[in-house]
Structures are given as C-alpha cells and as structure tokens.
Amino acid sequence: MRIAVLGGDGFVGWPTSLHLSNLGHEVHIVDNLSRRWIDTELGVQSLTPMDSIQERCRIWQQETGEKLHFHFLDLREYDRIKSWLEEYRPDAIIHFAEQRAAPYSMKTDRHKVYTVNNNVSATHNLLAAMVETGVDAHLIHLGTMGVYGYSSVGAPIPEGYLDVEIDTPNGKKGLEILYPTRPGSVYHMTKSLDQILFQFYAQNDGLRITDLHQGIVWGTNTDQTSRHAQLINRFDYDGDYGTVLNRFLIQAAIGYPLTVHGTGGQTRAFIHIQDSVRCIELALGDAPKAGERVRIFNQMTETHRVRDLAELVAKMTGAKVAYLPNPRKEADENELIVNNDQFLALGLNPITLAEGLLSEVVDVAKRFAHRIDRSRVPAVSAWTKDIAKRVEHDP
Ligand code: NAD
Ligand code: USQ
C-alpha cells in the first residue's frame, strides 16, 4: 500500500513509519516539523539525540534498502494538502499531526488558541481535501482515551459508542451514541471535536475512518528504531511534553524525586510504543466500508494509578517519591475500566510494564541521563489562574 503518515517525525509517527516500511509498504511522511520548533520555543530537547528527519530517512534506506519519502507540509495549508493528496493518492492515511501535550495546550491563552487552530484545522482540512479529491483512503486517526474523561462511573468504558435507552411518546427506544466526551484540557477537547468531524464526514461522504482512542504511550524504541543509533526515537521528559511514566523513569535515572501530582490517585490507561505501532498495523488490515460508522478502538493495554507507578519505579530503582500540588484541574482519585477486546481479537499480544520497564530504565534513561536539564523537569503549566497562584506559593 502507499501510506501517508501525517506527523511521521513525531514520537509515535516515526516508529510507525519504520514499522510500515519494514512490512513492505511505500511510506510517505508528511510533517511541518512544528514539534521541533516547540522544543526550541520551550528550550528543551529530546532525551535521546534525534537526527534531522532527512538524515533519519537516509539511514533507514542505508540499513534496509527501503526508501522513506519526506514531505515538508503543514496541514493547516488547505490548498497544499489538497494538491498533495491529488498527486500522491495514498491508499491509507495515518493522522498523528496534532499538538498533543495537555500542559502545553494550557500554558497561556496563546497556546490554547494555537492548539485549537492547529488540531481542528489539520483534521478538517484533511477531511475536506479527501472528499474534494475523491481519495478513497482508509483514514486512521490517533485519538485519545482522554475524550471519555475520568469521572469514575464504575462501568467499563466501551469502544467509542454507548447504547442508551430513551423515553419517546411511543415507549422506550434504543439508541447508539458516541460516548459523551468530558475532556480535561484544551488538547483533549480538540480530540473530542475531531470525533464529531469524523462522524459527519463518514455519514455525509462515506469516508472510511478508524479512530484509535489511545492511552499514554510509554517506552522509547521498537524493533526498527533499535536497528541503528541514528534511528532512535524521540523521548520527551520535560514538564510539558513528558508523559508520566517516561518522566518517572528519567527522574529515577538522575536521582530526582518522582513528581506525583496530588495524591497520585489518578488512574490512566497505558500502552507500550511497540504495541502502539502494532495496533496501527492491525487497524490498517481491518478497514471499514464506505457508509459504515466510524470504527473506534480503545488502544491501550493496562491501567495504572499514578502513585502505584511511582512506587513501582521507586522500588525498582531506590528513587524517592515527592507528592506535589497538582498543577492540573482533574479528579484526585478515579477508577478506570476499559474495554479493549477488538485489538485483542485481532491478535494483539501486549507488552506489560512488568516485562519492559527495567530495560527501559537501564538502556535509555541511564544512557542519556547526561542530556537531562533538571530545571526543565518540573511541570509548571497550571490549568487555571487560581491553581497557578496556589502552585507558585506551595511548590
Ligand atoms: P508528537 O508531537 O511527537 O508528533 C506529532 C507530529 O505531528 C510532530 O512531528 C509535529 O511536527 C507534527 N505536526 C503537528 N501539527 C502539524 C501540522 N499542522 N502539519 C503537519 N505536521 C504537524 O506526538 P506523538 O506523541 O507522536 O503523538 C502522535 C499522535 O498520537 C497525536 O495526535 C496524539 O494526540 C496521539 N496520542 C499520543 C499519545 C502519547 O502518549 N504520546 C497518547 C495518545 C494519543
Ligand atoms: N502526572 C503526574 N506527574 C507528572 C506528570 C503527570 O502525576 O510528572 C499525572 C497527571 O497529573 C495526569 C497523569 O499523570 O493525571 C497523566 O499525565 P500525562 O502527562 O502522562 O498524560 P496526558 O496529559 O493525559 O497526555 C498524554 C499524551 C496525550 C495523550 C494522553 C492519553 O501527552 O497526547 O492523548 O496521554 S490519555 O491520558 O489516555 O488521554
């Protein structure tokens, strides 16, 4: 297949591009490199030394003989993305190209506006251009578990849809609805908006869309990124882009007390990067038909409470745990039960935390510990002005 990987220079997009190229697909990476610019804006860098995207593609070809095509393109530029689709007419499109950090999206009003403009325009431009050009590609979007919210209803979260019963003048009627969204940040809100865009274009134009509601991705390398030092994946550890488990791992490696927000009672869904790319492969092989509703998968393999993760990493490494005032507005404690039967039925055999964690600490976090700037570890983006004042006074 000819596959476009939008956002293919990013943390999940890069290993996905290699995985698909390795399977024999013709892969076209489309990226505006905005994530690299944001590193510059924030004065941070990946824990792992990343080469330019062109250099990474060159090394991949040298190692495997397979060509990765790179296109420097911004999805916000409608005419350019439309011309690109017209010219390349991919069979499948994998859409990672959004601003994905909740703390970055909440930093200031400017960051909120940027995140909404970037993410909503990227998704809508793509959908409108697919209809206009008649490109009948299977669109796979990386969404988030966070669209469901973390309100502890006590029932398992279904894969996207909820069956409800409503009272009508003619008695009770069954109805299938998108699971109601309850986003916890401006970033997560854009993913909720994406869902509506997908629902509309699938229903109105018969676009074939799969939305993967992914949990927090942990780990660094996959079979393909491990093939050469210059193919190494991105690893964010800073207070805006670093996700919780990866942050705990590097904090342990440099003797920084593990930064648990609040009581650490937040329960979240997790998936290893290797499983993430495998899920995308599985979803690719299971495309919906035109006219079918958007297919939604919960792309996660385990759930964990933040303080349990901290205790686990502390036990493994001897690190201390620090319970800090929470810069976010979120439930202190929540339960989380998630259905993920569809990927298991398609053959996913998950990597568990218990198997993968230790090698991650030793191989990656310790190896590159010298690249960590300790001053960029604290998470300082506050969800409201009141929280900002509180966190400032009680750091
Ligand atoms: P990332 O920031 O590392 O990668 C995103 C890539 O998209 C970057 O290379 C960036 O330059 C590019 N991009 C952003 N806006 C663009 C635009 N307008 N035009 C072209 N390119 C653009 O993020 P990631 O961690 O690889 O996440 C990829 C996707 O998966 C995101 O949509 C994210 O919401 C989703 N996701 C990530 C995680 C996680 O834990 N990392 C978990 C769940 C879902
Ligand atoms: N947390 C800490 N300490 C830290 C960092 C985070 O206690 O040092 C807590 C947060 O307060 C939160 C939880 O850990 O309760 C998760 O935070 P996170 O930054 O790991 O994850 P999140 O903000 O939800 O975002 C990440 C990705 C995003 C993706 C989402 C999947 O950045 O792209 O959509 O995970 S999910 O969480 O399932 O919505």
Side-chain angles (χ1 to χ4, degrees):
M1 275 199 266
R2 176 179 287 179
I3 303 177
V5 181
L6 316 181
D9 186 44
F11 169 59
V12 192
W14 173 243
T16 301
S17 301
L18 300 191
H19 187 78
L20 297 176
S21 173
N22 193 52
L23 292 171
H25 296 295
E26 178 187 320
V27 174
H28 292 259
I29 292 175
V30 173
D31 205 298
N32 67 351
L33 307 185
S34 52
R35 183 65 197 83
R36 292 180 186 249
W37 281 104
I38 292 174
D39 273 346
T40 306
E41 173 200 343
L42 298 175
V44 298
Q45 59 178 359
S46 163
L47 170 77
T48 48
M50 282 165 71
D51 281 351
S52 70
I53 182 66
Q54 291 86 347
E55 180 65 3
R56 290 167 132 189
C57 293
R58 183 184 73 80
I59 299 290
W60 179 250
Q61 188 166 11
Q62 174 191 295
E63 287 300 299
T64 63
E66 299 296 334
K67 189 165 171 54
L68 282 173
H69 307 260
F70 171 60
H71 308 265
F72 182 50
L73 207 66
D74 190 329
L75 265 88
R76 288 170 303 177
E77 295 181 78
Y78 179 70
D79 290 335
R80 291 195 64 207
I81 188 72
K82 189 169 92 178
S83 312
W84 190 89
L85 278 181
E86 232 151 24
E87 187 176 344
Y88 288 94
R89 308 194 79 80
D91 303 302
I93 301 173
I94 310 185
H95 174 26
F96 296 101
E98 294 181 86
Q99 190 302 98
R100 71 109 176 121
Y104 184 85
S105 78
M106 301 300 286
K107 272 181 113 55
T108 67
D109 54 345
R110 189 177 65 76
H111 293 91
K112 292 176 188 176
V113 169
Y114 167 76
T115 302
V116 171
N117 287 349
N118 186 65
N119 295 3
V120 178
S121 302
T123 300
H124 188 258
N125 283 351
L126 175 64
L127 292 164
M130 285 175 71
V131 172
E132 198 51 34
T133 55
V135 167
D136 178 33
H138 175 199
L139 171 61
I140 298 184
H141 170 251
L142 269 290
T144 176
M145 285 295 302
V147 295
Y148 300 120
Y150 296 103
S151 59
S152 282
V153 281
I157 296 183
E159 304 207 63
Y161 297 95
L162 190 65
D163 290 320
V164 294
E165 204 171 61
I166 51 169
D167 288 321
T168 75
N170 302 320
K172 290 197 183 299
K173 202 175 157 218
L175 194 65
E176 185 192 68
I177 57 168
L178 273 173
Y179 194 95
T181 68
R182 205 150 188 262
S185 73
V186 165
Y187 154 71
H188 286 98
M189 183 182 75
T190 64
K191 294 285 180 176
S192 305
L193 297 172
D194 282 347
Q195 285 202 116
I196 310 288
L197 301 179
F198 295 138
Q199 188 181 45
F200 175 77
Y201 278 94
Q203 159 196 304
N204 194 64
D205 299 285
L207 291 192
R208 299 179 299 121
I209 303 173
T210 298
D211 199 2
L212 303 176
H213 288 186
Q214 185 166 241
I216 301 170
V217 183
W218 67 279
T220 323
N221 282 310
T222 60
D223 294 342
Q224 284 76 41
T225 66
S226 308
R227 286 176 72 150
H228 189 284
Q230 284 175 271
L231 296 175
I232 197 161
N233 199 14
R234 165 183 274 284
F235 184 121
D236 297 305
Y237 71 86
D238 62 279
D240 288 313
Y241 276 86
T243 51
V244 64
L245 181 53
N246 278 2
R247 274 166 63 71
F248 288 170
L249 294 174
I250 64 93
Q251 290 166 357
I254 61 167
Y256 195 106
L258 310 184
T259 55
V260 173
H261 294 164
T263 64
Q266 308 91 318
T267 308
R268 294 291 182 271
F270 291 85
I271 182 166
H272 189 271
I273 184 76
Q274 179 76 62
D275 285 338
S276 176
V277 301
R278 169 88 175 119
C279 283
I280 291 160
E281 176 197 343
L282 292 171
L284 257 179
D286 195 35
K289 295 188 178 52
E292 215 179 282
R293 67 175 195 186
V294 177
R295 195 167 286 184
I296 300 178
F297 291 78
N298 290 338
Q299 184 161 317
M300 51 71 69
T301 57
E302 304 176 74
T303 60
H304 293 281
R305 213 174 274 282
V306 167
R307 65 168 168 266
D308 295 341
L309 287 179
E311 295 300 338
L312 180 73
V313 174
K315 208 165 124 204
M316 222 170 60
T317 61
K320 291 199 167 52
V321 179
Y323 288 88
L324 304 172
N326 195 344
R328 305 187 185 200
K329 189 167 182 171
E330 59 186 356
D332 292 340
E333 306 270 333
N334 70 286
E335 300 298 328
L336 183 62
I337 314 164
V338 181
N339 287 343
N340 64 344
D341 308 339
Q342 295 184 99
F343 273 130
L344 297 177
L346 288 176
L348 179 69
N349 182 16
I351 296 172
T352 61
L353 222 71
E355 298 163 41
L357 205 52
L358 197 61
S359 69
E360 201 66 38
V361 184
V362 176
D363 296 348
V364 181
K366 285 226 160 108
R367 185 159 152 228
F368 295 109
H370 61 280
R371 288 174 52 87
I372 297 170
D373 177 352
R374 297 173 77 92
S375 73
R376 312 321 303 231
V377 172
V380 293
S381 173
W383 259 230
T384 65
K385 290 178 181 162
D386 287 347
I387 294 176
K389 277 188 212 134
R390 214 182 314 138
V391 173
E392 220 171 82
H393 288 131
D394 186 15

